[in-house]
Amino acid sequence: MLNYRGFFTGIAMLFLVPSLLYSQTYVSGFFPKEKELTLAVGYTHKSYDRFYRGETLTDGNPANLGEISSSIIGIYGEYGINSWLSAMVSVPYISIKSGTGNPDPVHNENEQSGLQDLSLALKARVLEKVFEDNSKLSIGGATGLTFPVSSYEGNGILSIGNKATAFDGFAVIQYTTNFNFFAEAQTGFSLRNNSDFEIPNALLYSLKIGYYNSWIYTHVKLGVQDSTSGYDIGSAEFGANGGPAALSQTEVDYTNLNFDVYVPIHKHNFGVSVGYGINLDGRNFYDENAFSIGLVYKN
């Protein structure tokens, strides 16, 4: 009989790839078994033609760039070192371009593409409690390091990242019922450093509810970033510190909602996923939506 609880332990990996791009919480409350390997490849398309100037949603985009779209190919892996500790790695390739063909005012190009940042993390299960009705409570934590792996421009509107080295820490708690409905909460922080310009640190939160059985995995996730400092686009501080050249120093906050579904195929060693994400609110951020599709292998 298929142990589908164990099988779906690593499936949430694929849906973490887009999350890494926005520094949301990227740790799953599921934990792999010892020597269990999960590999995921995903494609995400994002676009927006409105953005938050400070906390005010405005039509159009900075510098008359039209609808800005990006394509992301993400590779993610997780390996169970033992029964309570796992290692994770992720790297995305991103292409972003202007809808009007107008150049970015910082780097004077109308598109950029390349490898973004490599993320490495360790995740540990601190506590696991199985109750009499076979429901389960898990508590864990993770720490990660993210750093650029290419020489992209990190301070433009059409940049593929902020070119920062980030140290992240997360705590996660998950409760799973005996009929495979689960609820999960995470909290974390991201300490960011760039030798060329200042990037605000951020607090990160997420809430997730989902369900799985032998033929499907699905979840809904609310993700939040709350920067600890920074300017508002268009403010006097922003202008006094260089205008567009101060984009990296803006206070970037957002709330995103993501819907994801995964279906196993080929004797459950492979599976396919689809997802859709929307921005609910923001500050100096994009009013964007995203569609993703991916393939997962698990042994």
Side-chain angles (χ1 to χ4, degrees):
M1 180 180 295
L2 173 67
N3 180 0
Y4 54 84
R5 173 170 290 190
F7 173 72
F8 281 107
T9 295
I11 296 311
M13 315 287 117
L14 183 56
F15 305 123
L16 304 179
V17 176
S19 297
L20 287 165
L21 307 179
Y22 315 115
S23 297
Q24 289 181 1
T25 55
Y26 55 82
V27 177
S28 166
F30 293 101
F31 291 84
K33 297 178 181 179
E34 184 175 358
K35 297 182 180 180
E36 188 174 69
L37 175 66
T38 299
L39 297 174
V41 178
Y43 171 80
T44 299
H45 177 79
K46 304 189 315 102
S47 63
Y48 72 95
D49 57 7
R50 299 193 300 171
F51 81 105
Y52 289 90
R53 187 186 297 269
E55 296 180 294
T56 302
L57 184 61
T58 61
D59 292 325
N61 286 301
N64 192 29
L65 299 177
E67 182 177 73
I68 295 176
S69 61
S70 56
S71 297
I72 305 155
I73 298 174
I75 300 174
Y76 186 97
E78 181 171 12
Y79 179 75
I81 298 172
N82 53 40
S83 61
W84 59 271
L85 182 68
S86 65
M88 297 172 286
V89 60
S90 176
V91 62
Y93 179 91
I94 303 175
S95 176
I96 183 171
K97 63 181 180 179
S98 161
T100 61
N102 292 335
D104 185 292
V106 176
H107 53 65
N108 294 315
E109 297 178 1
N110 60 17
E111 64 179 303
Q112 276 201 330
S113 61
L115 289 175
Q116 191 210 43
D117 304 330
L118 177 66
S119 295
L120 305 172
L122 288 173
K123 180 175 68 173
R125 179 167 49 210
V126 178
L127 173 69
E128 182 176 81
K129 173 68 174 178
V130 179
F131 299 98
E132 291 184 1
D133 64 353
N134 206 33
S135 61
K136 184 172 66 174
L137 177 69
S138 297
I139 299 175
T143 182
L145 180 67
T146 299
F147 53 90
V149 290
S150 66
S151 58
Y152 63 85
E153 168 57 56
N155 199 30
I157 300 170
L158 298 178
S159 292
I160 64 174
N162 58 23
K163 210 172 183 180
T165 297
F167 173 75
D168 301 326
F170 300 99
V172 55
I173 182 170
Q174 183 189 85
Y175 177 74
T176 306
T177 69
N178 56 5
F179 52 90
N180 301 327
F181 172 87
F182 68 92
E184 181 180 303
Q186 295 188 39
T187 183
F189 62 87
S190 181
L191 303 178
R192 302 161 183 175
N193 178 67
N194 186 306
S195 59
D196 297 326
F197 42 81
E198 182 180 350
I199 298 175
N201 300 322
L203 301 175
L204 311 170
Y205 312 96
S206 75
L207 294 173
K208 184 190 300 182
I209 57 173
Y211 173 79
Y212 61 89
N213 58 31
S214 59
W215 56 273
I216 194 170
Y217 167 100
T218 183
H219 73 229
V220 178
K221 177 183 176 182
L222 185 72
V224 177
Q225 172 173 296
D226 182 13
S227 295
T228 59
S229 62
Y231 314 134
D232 282 332
I233 293 176
S235 67
E237 274 187 314
F238 182 75
N241 284 274
L247 283 172
S248 65
Q249 301 175 57
T250 55
E251 179 179 350
V252 178
D253 303 334
Y254 53 77
T255 301
N256 287 337
L257 187 66
N258 295 278
F259 306 86
D260 299 293
V261 177
Y262 173 87
V263 178
I265 57 175
H266 190 66
K267 298 181 181 180
H268 301 278
N269 292 114
F270 288 91
V272 294
S273 70
V274 293
Y276 180 72
I278 56 174
N279 184 73
L280 300 180
D281 195 13
R283 183 171 186 168
N284 304 307
F285 194 65
Y286 328 118
D287 185 35
E288 63 184 5
N289 59 72
F291 172 79
S292 63
I293 186 170
L295 176 68
V296 177
Y297 167 77
K298 184 179 179 68
N299 72 357

